[in-house]
Amino acid sequence: MIEYLDTPKVQKYDLVAKALHWIMAILFVWQFTSAGLHLFAEDTPIEGFFWKWHYSVGFTLWVLVFLRGVWALANLKSRPDHSGLWLGGRAVTIGHLLMYALMIAVPTLAILRSAGNGRGLVVYGVTLIERGRPEIPALVELGSALHGLLGWTLLALIVGHIAMALYHGLVRRDGVLRRMV
């Protein structure tokens, strides 16, 4: 039977939470592939293919993280329990809060930079910020200083998240991994 709401009794997430999680995971693979190629293989055909979607996929992730946050808050009382985990689940909570904060901050900084650089922002062919607007150097400086740094920090947290999920699933075999699969 498909569960449409989080079910703490059986300690698993609902279909909506799982779908948002795995859709975002796939999009993050795309984003970090495009960023890595932009850094290490700039001006190659494969970099061009991935990079042309970087802003659109980033904007999609930005929207999805808000939807995911709203869904999580709406289901807060029925979320699976983390109290039996390391530090009573505080490490899990802190790690997830940091990831959510960065999943919001990184694309927000890119949007602010786009608003400030005069080049505009086009997402899936739809203009969200018009080209030719006056430049706002403070927004460009803020976005340029932090977008990449926080993006790579987010990747480090995601790698840690994956490592801990695999540790729980393959070493501890405590059912934590099964909550999201």
Side-chain angles (χ1 to χ4, degrees):
M1 182 171 101
I2 297 175
E3 300 286 343
Y4 291 99
L5 296 173
D6 294 337
T7 54
K9 291 179 185 171
V10 292
Q11 291 293 302
K12 64 182 178 178
Y13 291 96
D14 63 86
L15 182 63
V16 173
K18 289 178 184 180
L20 287 169
H21 178 273
W22 291 109
I23 289 167
M24 289 178 71
I26 291 165
L27 293 176
F28 273 118
V29 169
W30 185 281
Q31 276 306 83
F32 288 114
T33 298
S34 72
L37 289 168
H38 191 68
L39 190 62
F40 296 112
E42 193 171 8
D43 297 326
T44 62
I46 193 164
E47 181 265 348
F49 173 76
F50 278 91
W51 190 254
K52 73 180 176 183
W53 297 102
H54 189 81
Y55 295 97
S56 295
V57 171
F59 186 81
T60 302
L61 282 163
W62 188 66
V63 171
L64 289 175
V65 76
F66 282 108
L67 291 175
R68 191 169 172 191
V70 166
W71 187 258
L73 289 173
N75 286 282
L76 195 57
K77 292 192 187 290
S78 60
R79 302 293 277 183
D81 183 29
H82 299 301
S83 63
L85 302 175
W86 187 56
L87 295 176
R90 288 188 196 100
V92 174
T93 301
I94 290 168
H96 281 98
L97 287 175
L98 283 172
M99 280 195 299
Y100 270 91
L102 289 175
M103 287 188 290
I104 292 167
V106 172
T108 299
L109 288 164
I111 292 166
L112 290 173
R113 182 173 57 194
S114 292
N117 66 17
R119 292 182 292 202
L121 177 63
V122 177
V123 174
Y124 300 112
V126 177
T127 301
L128 299 181
I129 301 172
E130 290 289 331
R131 280 184 85 90
R133 296 172 54 102
E135 288 192 26
I136 306 169
L139 294 181
V140 176
E141 291 168 15
L142 179 66
S144 295
L146 295 176
H147 176 74
L149 173 67
L150 294 180
W152 295 117
T153 303
L154 176 57
L155 176 61
L157 284 173
I158 290 170
V159 168
H161 176 74
I162 293 166
M164 291 309 298
L166 291 173
Y167 169 73
H168 279 280
L170 302 174
V171 176
R172 290 191 61 184
R173 299 175 191 256
D174 56 10
V176 170
L177 183 61
R178 286 192 305 269
R179 292 176 179 180
M180 195 53 81
V181 294

